[in-house]
Amino acid sequence: MLMRVGHYWLPVAVGEGGVRHAFRGRRWEGESAAEAVCGEPLALAKPSEMDWITFRSCHGCRCVLLVEAGMRPEEVYAGRSSARAAAQATPSLRQP
């Protein structure tokens, strides 16, 4: 039986902002650098609570994990842009 190590997410600051990347392992053990699931080598540091809230998730990491789980990313993300466009085209109920 194949045993998977798993992954964890960690916000990584880049310039003025940052991105939440996935990394192999159970949890961050204080390493100063690691390669993200998407293949990008990154410097790591303890994130703030705001980093968790404000940084977006890495699309590349998400797609790799979806494929590893046997899912096709294009099917998971299908309709998101059309749903978003429909929501923007629909008048807000709060407007008079």
Side-chain angles (χ1 to χ4, degrees):
M1 177 197 282
L2 178 65
M3 187 166 167
R4 297 215 173 199
V5 175
H7 68 275
Y8 63 92
W9 290 88
L10 188 72
V12 178
V14 179
E16 301 261 334
V19 178
R20 287 188 309 265
H21 283 276
F23 297 90
R24 303 290 178 192
R26 289 187 48 208
R27 64 178 165 264
W28 182 55
E29 300 285 350
E31 302 90 348
S32 61
E35 183 176 304
V37 170
C38 65
E40 189 173 344
L42 297 162
L44 305 178
K46 184 176 181 180
S48 71
E49 288 185 36
M50 286 305 294
D51 295 344
W52 284 103
I53 296 167
T54 60
F55 292 178
R56 62 181 171 76
S57 296
C58 172
H59 182 73
C61 288
R62 292 173 65 184
C63 287
V64 169
L65 294 172
L66 286 169
V67 169
E68 289 177 359
M71 301 171 77
R72 295 178 55 193
E74 60 273 11
E75 291 176 357
V76 172
Y77 296 118
R80 282 199 177 184
S81 59
S82 60
R84 199 174 292 136
Q88 290 173 348
T90 304
S92 172
L93 295 176
R94 292 183 285 179
Q95 292 178 347

